[in-house]
């Protein structure tokens, strides 16, 4: 398998961001910033318990964001295309990504739910009481989180594969698993760097945005001026990170796939 160089991916990402920044910004504003603004208004992220409506809006924003990520990856992979075509490409490939995510979720549930049930039944894990977390349950949660991080490396190319190759959900997962072989630990480092960067960006946006919201508009409540101020900070920060991460993922994919570029895809129903 090709040897991954994160430094090369970084240099290529910087070049693409500089060259196609206008196109990437247009996609980000339409499919990342705007949906997150609406979600932030309906369900502010600080000191407010989300309502059922707020959760629904946030879910829809996240799904639209996946289309945006696919469109950005399409632009970052080439060949050159328009913003409209990139968005249409993202919309066409969205069902395949959603199917892949559902397959992963079902597979994890099939493995973990029976395992947890057995561990609880034999007394290895104690069920937490109301408002209390037992040590064994906390250890189990942390073990699942760490295990998920290690497993996620093999599927880190799911969205780039979906954006670049005209294949169905199961084939996407198989392809991601295959092209990540031989570069596991480099990709693991890359994954951790992305997670840390995302947490820093999100926490900083919430801190600065929350402070600005309280100072300029008072209490943060759904559909309030303060919620709008906070939502602007969070949406812009999340969109900026998503654009950068998506371009990096696209360039990593190019290396792992042996230099293959994206090709226009058509709808597919096969797996």
């Amino acid at each position: 398998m090709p040897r991954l160089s994160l430094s090369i991916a970084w240099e290529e990402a910087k070049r693409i961001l500089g060259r196609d920044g206008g196109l990437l910004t247009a996609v980000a504003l339409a499919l990342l910033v705007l949906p997150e603004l609406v979600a932030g208004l309906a369900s502010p992220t600080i000191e407010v318990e989300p309502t059922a409506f707020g959760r629904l809006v946030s879910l829809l924003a996240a799904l639209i964001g996946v289309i945006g990520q696919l469109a950005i990856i399409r632009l970052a992979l080439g060949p050159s295309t328009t913003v409209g075509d990139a968005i249409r490409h993202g919309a066409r490939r969205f069902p395949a990504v959603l199917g892949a995510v559902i397959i992963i979720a079902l597979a994890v549930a099939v493995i973990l739910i029976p395992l947890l049930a057995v561990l609880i039944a034999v007394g290895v894990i104690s069920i937490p009481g109301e408002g209390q977390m037992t040590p064994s349950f906390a250890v189990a949660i942390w073990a699942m989180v760490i295990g998920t991080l290690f497993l996620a490396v093999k599927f880190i190319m799911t969205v780039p594969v979906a954006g670049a190759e005209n294949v169905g959900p199961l084939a996407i997962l198989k392809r991601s698993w295959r092209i990540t072989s031989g570069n596991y630990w480099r990709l693991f480092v890359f994954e951790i760097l992305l997670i840390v960067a995302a947490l820093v960006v999100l926490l900083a946006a919430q801190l600065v945005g929350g402070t600005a919201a309280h100072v300029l508009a008072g209490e943060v409540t759904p559909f309030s001026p303060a919620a709008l101020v906070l939502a602007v900070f969070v949406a812009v920060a999340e969109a900026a990170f998503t654009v950068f991460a998506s371009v990096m993922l696209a360039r990593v994919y190019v290396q792992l796939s042996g230099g293959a570029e994206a090709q226009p895809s058509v709808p597919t129903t096969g797996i």
Side-chain angles (χ1 to χ4, degrees):
M1 299 298 295
R3 184 179 178 86
L4 173 64
S5 172
L6 292 177
S7 62
I8 292 177
W10 168 258
E11 292 300 326
E12 291 177 346
K14 289 195 299 182
R15 186 172 66 251
I16 290 170
L17 290 168
R19 183 190 67 203
D20 299 329
L23 300 178
L24 297 171
T25 299
V27 172
L29 288 174
L31 299 181
L32 301 176
V33 175
L34 182 58
E36 284 299 329
L37 275 177
V38 176
L41 278 171
S43 182
T45 55
I46 292 181
E47 301 174 0
V48 177
E49 179 69 22
T51 63
F53 176 73
R55 291 190 180 94
L56 176 61
V57 174
S58 296
L59 175 60
L60 292 175
L63 295 177
I64 294 172
V66 174
I67 297 176
Q69 188 178 3
L70 284 164
I72 291 166
I73 286 173
R74 175 65 181 85
L75 291 169
L77 285 172
S80 180
T81 187
T82 65
V83 169
D85 283 342
I87 292 175
R88 284 189 287 273
H89 175 85
R92 285 196 302 269
R93 298 303 296 151
F94 170 76
V97 173
L98 182 60
V101 172
I102 291 174
I103 290 173
I104 293 174
L106 290 176
V108 171
V110 167
I111 295 171
L112 286 185
I113 291 177
L115 177 60
L116 286 175
V118 170
L119 292 176
I120 291 172
V122 299
V124 174
I125 298 177
S126 301
I127 300 177
E130 185 175 351
Q132 294 181 337
M133 176 71 74
T134 63
S136 60
F137 194 83
V139 170
I141 295 297
W142 276 108
M144 286 188 290
V145 170
I146 294 171
T148 299
L149 289 176
F150 280 100
L151 179 62
V153 175
K154 299 300 295 181
F155 300 110
I156 195 171
M157 288 291 105
T158 295
V159 179
V161 168
E165 303 179 18
N166 183 31
V167 293
L170 188 56
I172 288 171
L173 297 178
K174 291 179 178 178
R175 176 70 167 151
S176 178
W177 187 282
R178 185 164 57 250
I179 65 175
T180 53
S181 298
N183 289 284
Y184 182 89
W185 292 110
R186 289 182 180 84
L187 289 169
F188 182 78
V189 171
F190 178 54
E191 176 188 73
I192 296 302
L193 290 174
L194 286 181
I195 292 173
V196 171
L199 290 175
V200 170
V201 168
L202 180 59
L203 291 175
Q206 289 181 338
L207 177 61
V208 176
T211 301
H214 283 297
V215 171
L216 297 176
E219 183 181 1
V220 177
T221 57
F223 298 104
S224 66
L228 177 60
V229 173
L230 175 59
V232 168
F233 277 89
V234 174
V236 171
E238 288 184 353
F241 172 78
T242 300
V243 169
F244 167 76
S246 298
V247 174
M248 278 291 292
L249 284 167
R251 301 321 301 176
V252 168
Y253 165 81
V254 169
Q255 291 188 49
L256 297 180
S257 61
E261 300 289 329
Q263 299 297 328
S265 298
V266 296
T268 179
T269 57
I271 61 172

